[in-house]
Amino acid sequence: MLKQLECSRAIAEVIARCRPEVICAYPITPQTHIVEALSELCRTGELAPCEYINVESETSALSVAVGASAAGARAYTATASQGLLHMAEVVYNAAGLGLPIVMTLGNRALGAPINIWNDHSDAMALKDAGWIQLFARDSQEAVDLHILAFRLAEELSIPVMVCVDGFVLTHSVEPLDVPSQEQVDRFLPPYHPVQVLDVSDPVSIGAMVGPEAYTEVRYLAHHKQQRALERLPELAAELAVILGRTSGALLHPYRLDDAETIVVAMGSVTGTIEVAIDELRATGLAIGAIALCAFRPFPLVELAQALAPAKRVIVIERSLAPGLGGALASNVRMALQGGAIPVRTVIAGLGGRPITRVSLRRLFTSAAQDALDDLTFLDLDTGAIDRELARWGDQRRSGPSAENLLRDTRRPR
Amino acid sequence: MSDQRIRFYQTGTFTVGNRLLDPSDRAVQASTARANALTSGHRACQGCGEALGARYVLDAAMRATGNQLIAVNATGCLEVFTTPSPETAWQLPWLHSLFGNAAAVATGVAAAMRVKGKPVRVIAQGGDGGTTDIGFGCLSGMFERNDDVLYVCYDNEGYMNTGVQRSSATPPTARTATTPAMGPERGNVFGTGKSLPLLAMAHNLPYVATATVADLHDLEAKVTCAMGIHGARYLHVLVPCPLGWGHPTDETIRMARLAAECGLFPVFEAVDGEVVSSTPIRRRVPVEAYLRGQKRFAHLFDGPTPDPRIARLQALADQNIRRFRLQPEVTP
């Protein structure tokens, strides 16, 4: 049933229907509305039995989830940005221990400069921690992916991060369907751990492993990701039957028929890209798009197949790997290795800068004419950059760049 | 046959001999029914105080809980020497996650037990580095939330696992690999460090206690007491380290005893933030008697005259004795 809901509220409600037993939370914008709503659902008894624990840091938030999960409880937490970096050591640890924790990441830029708005810098920073990373293209998929996440996590004993664009999705209000308890129960069985702290059958979990077996342990982490490549589409299909809509996939293709230019992106920018593509298609441009849902595991084969007919690939990158370009584009190039399809990286929407339909249309048009460099920064204010570079050249003590740029952009010119 | 009067303290050490006690008063460790939660075959150094302390703590906790116990371990010596995979010395469910998060992981285990309605208790344990330094944020959070966890710190006053570096539990003047006996002020400096038991008390915990491996009956009794209480509890156990302290491996117990008897390590219990009892010093010794036996303090004694910092250490011991009333017969 569709209800006018904020995405965060809907995520909280679907989490509650996934029957988590331990929820631990430390507030960070833009994740707060999710954990606030969950605290309410726990207080009112709507979500029970469940332990809701207010912790003193993100390190503790995920550590509590580690303990709870190892003790056999279904555990959930949510974070964003600096919070993810703060808990980075535990992020790796949870994956290394193979604990099926589900965590929502309200994607947000990383400081410095401090910035609370949306991009994918946080998720990319921990892309190789061993978690499955699923990116929601819209609010409804953000809701549904969480059910999928618990099922996939527990089946493979691997943690899953559901990446939801901060503000753009987390704080948007629109008609959403929160799957019913009966629907969730049909899809998500109770948690049966493969390893558990049990006084009647004591095991040691988290022992030191030397060179004799470390590689094999790491290999199994890779193996689980490979299994997820197979299971994710199957589970998504199963969920689609229950929900009557498609949510979750390795990737979502859009107007790929005879497309010569294919745009690859993740998250909420997909919607704007599709609108721009519709407009360009109407002008006769053969262009399509792929919204990657699974970034880890990365669907190398499926992506290569989908991109095979293209003459060029444009990657809209919501984070920057300074000194290289972008993480997503690097991965896309790996999918296309050995082929002749050029891949162009476009850094866009950093720190919440709007990615407009107009900018995209201009970008795609010039891409279709093969006029793009390998690396492009969408809507970059080159004047501001030139002025700051000039300051660097003029004086040693040129001052903090971020403040200089801000002053420049606010000064009437 | 004439009666022989039994004196408990006949060994000259003030240690109560188990064999002289009524069976019901004997140590958990003296019982064949002990859990051996930390069993033999592990790889601790000879004379390791931490291995001894952990063994007594966990077996006492196992008895107190009817073996309904899960242990969470911080990274450190205790974790490394007990679990060179695939071997494990632990005979209870045991989880190691990271260096700095044992208290929070234990909170999660306790939450899982509560939500599942299982009457299983949780101990978190770590060394002084994992407790007073890198794990302190998580620990303070666990304390403040009054989570149902007994946290045990095995304090050997330094990062012994990584090669004897300074921690915030390293005493002033002690030589470590990062406070070498060099320069104008050799060893660790005065005016630094922190007392975790006092910090724990500042969280108004229902139970805080200190103990040493020189008085194992007392250690077991405090663990038993702690497991009889719910909420966040803290036990700080002094565990000499022959490697880091530089004393012979058969002197571990003596060093722990001297630490308490000179006053540098006060042994006490606190309830709801107030000290309720302290173990009186029976035969007070000057700090020099404690310091002289350890190579980490050797630089205090290598000059033609006594290092004036010995007097400053003595002043710290005297302050402890006044503060924790370790010599009740002496009016402060």
Side-chain angles (χ1 to χ4, degrees):
Chain A
M1 188 185 67
L2 287 178
K3 254 173 75 180
Q4 191 77 356
L5 282 173
E6 189 196 41
C7 180
S8 289
R9 174 77 204 187
I11 288 174
E13 289 186 7
V14 82
I15 289 297
R17 286 170 198 175
C18 291
R19 304 183 190 275
E21 293 167 294
V22 175
I23 294 173
C24 26
Y26 187 78
I28 181 164
T29 304
Q31 146 269 33
T32 41
H33 290 185
I34 300 172
V35 294
E36 285 168 8
L38 280 166
S39 77
E40 188 187 307
L41 294 169
C42 287
R43 279 290 170 95
T44 58
E46 203 170 317
L47 168 51
C50 181
E51 293 284 328
Y52 186 96
I53 303 170
N54 284 298
V55 293
E56 80 296 335
S57 71
E58 284 90 359
T59 292
S60 276
L62 193 55
S63 298
V64 168
V66 162
S69 186
R74 184 172 284 167
Y76 171 82
T77 189
T79 191
S81 183
Q82 312 298 138
L84 185 71
L85 292 202
H86 192 279
M87 62 166 67
E89 191 185 12
V90 199
V91 173
Y92 272 79
N93 188 254
L97 291 172
L99 297 173
I101 297 159
V102 169
M103 175 162 72
T104 309
L105 184 68
N107 293 108
R108 169 185 147 181
L110 297 174
I114 184 169
N115 175 303
I116 61 167
W117 293 279
N118 169 232
D119 70 25
H120 292 167
S121 304
D122 49 5
M124 292 301 109
L126 288 184
K127 66 188 190 310
D128 298 317
W131 288 54
I132 288 174
Q133 285 183 320
L134 305 177
F135 281 80
R137 59 188 163 155
D138 56 32
S139 292
Q140 187 63 62
E141 186 168 51
V143 171
D144 299 342
L145 278 180
H146 284 90
I147 318 172
L148 208 52
F150 276 110
R151 173 82 182 268
L152 192 60
E154 291 172 9
E155 194 175 294
L156 298 174
S157 212
I158 185 173
V160 178
M161 200 183 291
V162 181
C163 301
V164 182
D165 281 339
F167 292 114
V168 178
L169 294 183
T170 57
H171 286 53
S172 66
V173 178
E174 60 182 302
L176 293 172
D177 173 53
V178 178
S180 68
Q181 189 64 65
E182 185 270 332
Q183 286 175 313
V184 176
D185 287 347
R186 262 170 71 198
F187 183 75
L188 183 63
Y191 172 36
H192 293 295
V194 297
Q195 54 178 347
V196 67
L197 298 167
D198 178 358
V199 292
S200 63
D201 182 17
V203 289
S204 296
I205 302 177
M208 173 171 274
V209 174
E212 71 282 4
Y214 186 81
T215 305
E216 284 68 28
V217 174
R218 298 303 295 156
Y219 176 84
L220 289 175
H222 181 64
H223 173 80
K224 283 183 186 179
Q225 294 266 350
Q226 297 304 107
R227 279 288 295 147
L229 277 180
E230 297 163 20
R231 287 300 285 150
L232 179 60
E234 293 166 4
L235 291 174
E238 195 181 315
L239 185 62
V241 171
I242 295 170
L243 299 183
R245 61 175 170 265
T246 303
S247 284
L250 296 175
L251 50 86
H252 297 293
Y254 187 75
R255 301 191 76 167
L256 290 186
D257 296 341
D258 70 0
E260 294 180 347
T261 303
I262 298 180
V263 183
V264 178
M266 300 192 294
S268 60
V269 70
T270 306
T272 319
I273 290 171
E274 290 176 1
V275 172
I277 283 175
D278 287 346
E279 291 172 355
L280 292 170
R281 278 273 181 183
T283 69
L285 200 70
I287 185 167
I290 289 170
L292 269 187
C293 179
F295 182 67
R296 288 291 181 272
F298 196 81
L300 289 170
V301 174
E302 295 76 7
L303 188 63
Q305 280 168 0
L307 293 175
K311 287 190 176 157
R312 63 192 71 80
V313 174
I314 315 299
V315 178
I316 301 295
E317 190 86 59
R318 301 294 316 277
S319 70
L320 173 66
L324 174 69
L328 175 57
S330 303
N331 286 247
V332 172
R333 284 194 180 92
M334 190 169 168
L336 294 175
Q337 63 183 323
I341 308 173
V343 177
R344 306 285 182 233
T345 307
V346 180
I347 308 293
L350 296 188
R353 175 167 295 184
I355 302 175
T356 64
R357 198 180 48 173
V358 174
S359 293
L360 285 182
R361 218 167 42 213
R362 197 164 51 226
L363 177 82
F364 296 160
T365 307
S366 106
Q369 294 158 359
D370 288 321
L372 280 191
D373 291 337
D374 276 350
L375 179 62
T376 305
F377 287 74
L378 187 70
D379 297 337
L380 184 70
D381 183 348
T382 50
I385 297 290
D386 290 344
R387 281 190 293 279
E388 177 62 4
L389 291 179
R391 267 190 294 266
W392 290 7
D394 288 348
Q395 48 181 326
R396 173 71 199 156
R397 193 157 173 174
S398 56
S401 285
E403 284 70 8
N404 289 344
L405 287 165
L406 266 183
R407 208 180 307 115
D408 273 4
T409 54
R410 285 173 185 174
R411 183 180 296 154
R413 290 197 293 272
Chain B
M1 194 175 78
S2 63
D3 286 348
Q4 188 189 349
R5 190 177 158 79
I6 294 175
R7 290 185 302 123
F8 281 164
Y9 304 105
Q10 62 184 200
T11 59
T13 64
F14 297 138
T15 306
V16 179
N18 252 311
R19 288 167 298 165
L20 304 176
L21 285 172
D22 184 84
S24 64
D25 290 332
R26 288 183 189 174
V28 175
Q29 212 52 227
S31 163
T32 53
R34 69 186 181 213
N36 286 327
L38 170 54
T39 196
S40 58
H42 58 72
R43 300 180 187 181
C45 304
Q46 191 177 51
C48 174
E50 187 174 35
L52 180 67
R55 180 176 172 80
Y56 273 71
V57 164
L58 286 161
D59 280 356
M62 287 287 269
R63 176 187 273 188
T65 59
N67 298 343
Q68 301 296 297
L69 186 70
I70 293 173
V72 174
N73 220 117
T75 307
C77 281
L78 183 61
E79 168 259 328
V80 171
F81 75 66
T82 56
T83 56
S85 191
E87 294 152 26
T88 178
W90 299 105
Q91 305 207 77
L92 81 171
W94 179 91
L95 173 64
H96 161 247
S97 172
L98 293 165
F99 198 3
N101 71 349
V105 172
T107 290
V109 176
M113 292 304 115
R114 197 162 52 243
V115 77
K116 289 176 178 297
K118 290 184 183 171
V120 175
R121 308 296 300 281
V122 183
I123 278 188
Q125 49 185 0
D128 49 289
T131 304
T132 69
D133 289 342
I134 197 170
F136 184 63
C138 289
L139 183 61
S140 177
M142 187 277 278
F143 282 168
E144 149 308 288
R145 292 185 301 267
N146 201 25
D147 293 329
D148 191 17
V149 173
L150 169 62
Y151 190 101
V152 185
C153 170
Y154 303 106
D155 177 11
N156 54 23
E157 303 186 333
Y159 290 91
M160 305 321 188
N161 190 43
T162 45
V164 194
Q165 294 85 17
R166 178 203 180 268
S167 80
S168 61
T170 301
T173 75
R175 180 203 71 194
T176 69
T178 51
T179 55
M182 298 169 182
E185 195 175 353
R186 294 187 290 173
N188 195 29
V189 296
F190 276 92
T192 62
K194 57 175 115 160
S195 162
L196 241 289
L198 291 178
L199 285 164
M201 285 165 59
H203 290 75
N204 279 320
L205 297 197
Y207 188 74
V208 172
T210 69
T212 78
V213 287
D215 193 345
L216 295 163
H217 261 293
D218 177 66
L219 175 59
E220 285 188 348
K222 283 169 175 168
V223 172
T224 306
C225 176
M227 295 317 288
I229 301 168
H230 284 268
R233 293 141 289 144
Y234 181 69
L235 179 59
H236 191 104
V237 189
L238 185 72
V239 292
C241 168
L243 173 80
W245 294 19
H247 60 73
T249 54
D250 60 357
E251 296 260 299
T252 298
I253 307 290
R254 196 171 81 87
M255 284 305 144
R257 186 181 308 119
L258 289 172
E261 287 187 345
C262 75
L264 278 176
F265 188 86
V267 179
F268 64 93
E269 285 176 299
V271 171
D272 297 334
E274 285 181 38
V275 176
V276 294
S277 76
S278 50
T279 304
I281 295 173
R282 289 176 190 273
R283 185 176 56 192
R284 189 172 171 184
V285 296
V287 293
E288 195 174 327
Y290 169 63
L291 304 173
R292 270 198 184 276
Q294 304 172 48
K295 287 192 185 129
R296 64 175 173 158
F297 297 114
H299 54 281
L300 298 177
F301 302 102
D302 63 0
T305 54
D307 190 310
R309 292 186 302 161
I310 298 171
R312 290 185 73 183
L313 287 167
Q314 184 63 56
L316 289 179
D318 295 347
Q319 186 191 40
N320 279 339
I321 288 166
R322 287 194 304 275
R323 190 175 192 175
F324 297 98
R325 297 178 184 279
L326 302 177
Q327 282 198 307
E329 68 277 14
V330 179
T331 325

